Amino acid sequence: MNQEKDVVSHAEPGGTDTSDLFEKYGEIIPRGNVLFYEGDNGQQMYIIQSGKIRISKRVRNVEKTLVILGKGEFFGEMAILNNRPRSATATIVEDSKLLIIDRRTFETMIRNNSEIAIRIIKKLAARLQQADNQIENLLLKDNLSRMVNFLRRWAMEKGAPAAGEFSFAYLREDLAEGAGISVELFDEMLKKLSTANMIHLSDGRITILNMEGLERFTRYLEMKDQFKDLT
Ligand code: CMP
């Protein structure tokens, strides 16, 4: 069972099964709908029972995806918790079943159950960590550094060991977006890494041949970037 679904099932005395919760709080919303825009006032938070939601922000007139959220995840809690306008826009990208929880119910859930509060705090801490990683990545100036740094972190989030081989399925658009580079550049960088025998590509999968080697390469690229004016 995933954590946020668990959050909800503990929300009422004695626990409530998901179909009861859906009857009470659920809505099915088709793809293409915008739930709210960045800057809107927000009085509700959402828990995803199925489907996919894009969280995006407008940066210099371009809509940038921050994250795509799926089953079991929640969003829209920030406006409620800090009494501020929506920090980002939420768009349904795959028909979704959502639990829509109003401010009072959400606050009652948190007040009455410290386990729920702790789970939410953990999730928020993980998001902050991810945002820090994104900032670190954006501070890297050259594209290869961004790409390699992002690739290593992505693999680690998927459970890669500190050393040795690790393989995972990928969508080039997701990885390019996450690394902050164009898909064309991403392909170019992947080819370079493959030629250098750092990765192997086949059937929509990337195999990192040595996680430790990739880490060393990341450090080398960072240093190269840091000291480039001295050489
Ligand atoms: P809120 O500010 O109410 O509306 C936008 C929501 O997007 C926000 O609450 C969070 O739930 C979610 N959100 C904003 N930034 C991120 C992020 N970087 N990662 C995941 N979710 C986010």
Side-chain angles (χ1 to χ4, degrees):
M1 192 196 288
N2 65 44
Q3 287 192 344
E4 283 71 33
K5 205 152 128 199
D6 211 22
V7 164
V8 188
S9 65
H10 282 84
E12 303 204 353
T16 310
D17 94 18
T18 348
S19 55
D20 290 344
L21 281 167
F22 190 75
E23 218 157 272
K24 198 158 177 197
Y25 302 110
E27 236 176 84
I28 296 174
I29 308 182
R31 189 164 83 104
N33 278 288
V34 175
L35 287 170
F36 54 76
Y37 288 96
E38 182 178 352
D40 284 357
N41 282 326
Q43 298 298 326
Q44 291 161 324
M45 60 87 69
Y46 303 77
I47 297 161
I48 308 170
Q49 288 203 314
S50 67
K52 286 209 159 36
I53 316 293
R54 179 163 95 116
I55 302 292
S56 62
K57 246 176 133 51
R58 215 167 170 72
V59 185
R60 279 188 237 111
N61 270 340
V62 179
E63 200 67 22
K64 283 276 182 197
T65 302
L66 294 179
V67 67
I68 306 266
L69 300 174
K71 185 177 171 183
E73 298 191 277
F74 64 86
F75 62 96
E77 77 298 336
M78 279 167 60
I80 294 183
L81 291 172
N82 62 16
N83 249 322
R84 303 258 310 151
R86 295 292 189 195
S87 60
T89 298
T91 310
I92 311 268
V93 290
E94 205 176 78
D95 295 356
S96 297
K97 266 177 153 183
L98 301 176
L99 299 179
I100 304 178
I101 315 280
D102 63 46
R103 178 189 291 266
R104 255 187 59 195
T105 309
F106 182 52
E107 284 182 358
T108 309
M109 273 163 62
I110 296 176
R111 277 215 183 86
N112 291 351
N113 194 323
S114 54
E115 210 180 307
I116 292 175
I118 287 170
R119 284 182 179 154
I120 289 176
I121 291 167
K122 282 189 177 165
K123 187 76 198 176
L124 294 178
R127 270 190 203 158
L128 187 59
Q129 175 79 58
Q130 232 172 15
D132 283 350
N133 291 345
Q134 275 175 342
I135 291 169
E136 184 189 316
N137 219 46
L138 291 171
L139 287 174
L140 295 171
K141 289 192 189 69
D142 81 281
N143 291 318
L144 187 59
S145 297
R146 282 188 189 184
M147 149 85 179
V148 172
N149 191 43
F150 178 76
L151 199 61
R152 196 174 67 86
R153 285 202 188 280
W154 180 282
M156 278 159 54
E157 269 168 33
K158 295 208 170 296
E165 194 176 294
F166 186 70
S167 172
F168 58 92
Y170 75 104
L171 268 180
R172 55 209 272 277
E173 288 78 11
D174 287 353
L175 292 190
E177 178 91 48
I181 59 178
S182 69
V183 174
E184 292 73 26
L185 260 176
F186 177 81
D187 285 343
E188 203 180 295
M189 304 292 152
L190 266 194
K191 235 184 253 164
K192 273 192 188 174
L193 291 178
S194 174
T195 310
N197 268 335
M198 305 202 84
I199 61 167
H200 176 69
L201 301 169
S202 75
D203 301 331
R205 294 184 77 79
I206 295 180
T207 303
I208 296 172
L209 297 171
N210 181 358
M211 283 297 293
E212 208 179 8
L214 199 65
E215 203 232 324
R216 275 205 306 274
F217 189 47
T218 309
R219 274 191 275 127
Y220 161 74
L221 290 172
E222 278 172 15
M223 285 205 192
K224 205 171 133 208
D225 192 45
Q226 203 175 334
F227 296 118
K228 69 174 180 305
D229 295 337
L230 295 176
T231 55

